[in-house]
Amino acid sequence: MSEHKLNDSLDTLKKSGVRITPQRHAILEYLISTESHPTADDIYKALESNFPNMSVATVYNNLRVFRNAGLIKELNYGDASSRFDFVTHDHYHIICEKCGTIVDFHYPGLEEVEHLATHVTGFEVGSHRLEVYGTCPACIDNAAKVN
Amino acid sequence: MSEHKLNDSLDTLKKSGVRITPQRHAILEYLISTESHPTADDIYKALESNFPNMSVATVYNNLRVFRNAGLIKELNYGDASSRFDFVTHDHYHIICEKCGTIVDFHYPGLEEVEHLATHVTGFEVGSHRLEVYGTCPACIDNAAKVN
DNA sequence: TAAACTGATGATAATGATTATAAAGTAATA
DNA sequence: TATTACTTTATAATCATTATCATCAGTTTA
């Protein structure tokens, strides 16, 4: 799956003069293949078996490289650590406040909001971020069972 | 200004059995009076002269108390520390990527998005969060002067 | 090919925000 | 007044992230 996403990404990196090391390859591959939105530590642990000597710093460094290249997004929710999300087409996130699950969903875009914001504040708008919070189906079920 | 916001907040706290200490009073007052979106440390520093013995932990503890009481919101942007915002009427934030300035703006609400998200994901939706990123007028000016 | 250069990695220390802990203070209540 | 519950303060602990620096690997150049 998504073999071409990986190749596209590797091309992008090469073009900006970034070397493709085995670690970088593995981190990118993991980010593309996973459905989840892993923390740096998740990634570190997931690759531990293949790269027993890899340093946490390497994970952080390369996440920054990928972010600067526009390949991934860094997500900051209330909890302690950042999560990382491979950038595909535009999508938003809905987050379960009970268990932390993050699910993607699509929405036609909110250019209106950007326009209004520009108009009202005089800012030059670059991007926006939207998240919806609630309770996921699994947690709703669990709550029902308990009562 | 906003004397009644403060009194409302104090009432809310009293009703939920929270004691009004001088520190709590001062922190709340500061949050209501300031236009900015201060970090815990900003608050700590701002009240230093009046409360030379106040501990940072007190600031954090009370911010949590206020947040649990629904009086303030905790905002997490990319940078290191959380910012706190007194909850008034619903508004969104636009954030300058150059200097970090945060400005409020109003928008009719995005219930549509919540409905769609519910429909698509099966989540029970509670709230959402939207931020717009860009460059503030001052930074635009500065950039123009340099070139 | 060998030397030199550049960037990447890995180990570890440092930083900085937030939280935990425990002792002492303060208000509320019986 | 004695007891209880809640707060504050001071400080230590935690934990994510970043900085440092020696080492390593790939690439370029002589």
Side-chain angles (χ1 to χ4, degrees), chain B residues 19 40 57 60 64 80-82:
Chain B
R19 277 186 208 158
Y60 279 99
R64 192 175 344 164
S81 42
S82 291

Side-chain angles (χ1 to χ4, degrees), chain A residues 19 40 56-57 60 64 80-82:
Chain A
R19 278 187 205 155
V56 208
Y60 278 101
R64 192 177 343 166
S81 42
S82 289

